């Protein structure tokens, strides 16, 4: 069974990207971590997906605009957890992550409605691409608000793609999916120039990547 990672570095990157674009007085993101107290109470991660569904339900009660599940859910599990999660993500916008993996022989299908080719202009030859990968479970992807790929071309450079190519279609990165959810607008992307998402205008290089700057010290308490 594939390990479901609990690393939330992507949220840190998206916060850093936004910090160069807006002067919002309040950060729009809250990172929900699995802390030592939770592990002591529930045992080691990963948990039954019923727990994830319960957390999403609680966040919905608190008035969250949307939820990003920052680990992979591409393999089914025994029990009722998958069904409970599939039901819950229909009640609030939920984004699911995907990833390229050329060694994945039987990837889950990626529905055509995730194709964003009509939002993209410019030369697509330099986009990060892959032919197989970890795609969310079908019963989850049917009800989610969006999917996003978390791949980057070079981990040593502070660049993240906003659009990538999966098989024959163009799909959003998770960074782009989060920004579209935040702005409640679809992006207009000109590769090599910029991405416009509501009030956000993000410069892009020829590979459809945006730059970000990490803070000098950890800002997550």
């Amino acid at each position: 069974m594939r390990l479901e990672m609990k690393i939330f570095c992507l949220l840190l990157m998206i916060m850093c990207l936004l910090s160069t674009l807006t002067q919002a007085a309040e950060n729009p993101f809250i990172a929900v971590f699995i802390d030592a107290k939770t592990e002591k109470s529930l045992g080691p991660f990963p948990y039954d997906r019923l727990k994830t569904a319960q957390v999403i339900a609680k966040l919905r009660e608190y008035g969250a605009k949307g939820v990003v599940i920052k680990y992979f859910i591409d393999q089914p599990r025994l029990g009722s957890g998958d069904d409970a999660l599939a039901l819950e993500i229909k009640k609030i916008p939920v984004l699911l992550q995907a990833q390229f993996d050329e060694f994945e022989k039987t990837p889950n299908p990626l529905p055509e409605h995730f194709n964003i080719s009509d939002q993209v202009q410019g030369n697509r030859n330099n986009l990060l691409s892959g032919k197989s990968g970890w795609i969310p479970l079908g019963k989850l992807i049917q009800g989610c608000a969006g999917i996003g790929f978390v791949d980057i071309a070079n981990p040593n450079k502070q660049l993240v793609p906003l659009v990538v190519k999966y098989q024959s279609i163009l799909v959003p990165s998770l960074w782009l999916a989060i920004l579209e959810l935040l702005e409640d607008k679809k992006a207009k992307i000109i590769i090599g120039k910029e991405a416009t998402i509501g009030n956000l205008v993000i410069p892009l290089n020829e590979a459809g990547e945006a730059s970000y700057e990490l803070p000098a010290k950890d800002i997550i308490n």
Side-chain angles (χ1 to χ4, degrees), residues 49-170:
R49 289 168 183 161
L50 177 61
K51 297 297 182 184
T52 303
Q54 291 171 339
V55 170
I56 293 174
K58 185 61 65 174
L59 294 173
R60 178 166 50 83
E61 291 178 18
Y62 289 157
K65 182 177 181 179
V67 174
V68 182
I69 298 181
K70 188 59 191 77
Y71 48 84
F72 299 104
I73 313 181
D74 63 316
Q75 302 292 322
R77 290 246 194 104
L78 296 176
S80 61
D82 288 0
D83 290 336
L85 182 56
L87 181 63
E88 189 57 43
I89 66 176
K90 294 179 180 179
K91 301 176 183 179
I92 183 174
V94 173
L95 300 179
L96 303 174
Q97 71 174 17
Q99 176 178 292
F100 296 138
D101 182 0
E102 300 305 315
F103 297 102
E104 178 59 67
K105 301 301 182 183
T106 57
N108 296 324
L110 181 61
E112 175 64 28
H113 69 264
F114 291 110
N115 187 350
I116 63 168
S117 293
D118 60 348
Q119 297 174 228
V120 181
Q121 300 177 34
N123 185 354
R124 307 172 182 190
N125 293 333
N126 296 320
L127 296 178
L128 190 62
S129 62
K131 296 181 179 180
S132 188
W134 301 352
I135 308 300
L137 286 173
K139 65 173 61 179
L140 302 180
I141 209 170
Q142 291 174 4
C144 73
I147 61 99
F149 282 71
V150 296
D151 305 85
I152 57 176
N154 188 337
N156 296 319
K157 294 184 178 180
Q158 291 181 194
L159 294 169
V160 293
L162 292 196
V163 58
V164 299
K165 186 176 181 180
Y166 179 73
Q167 297 180 352
S168 62
I169 65 175
L170 300 187

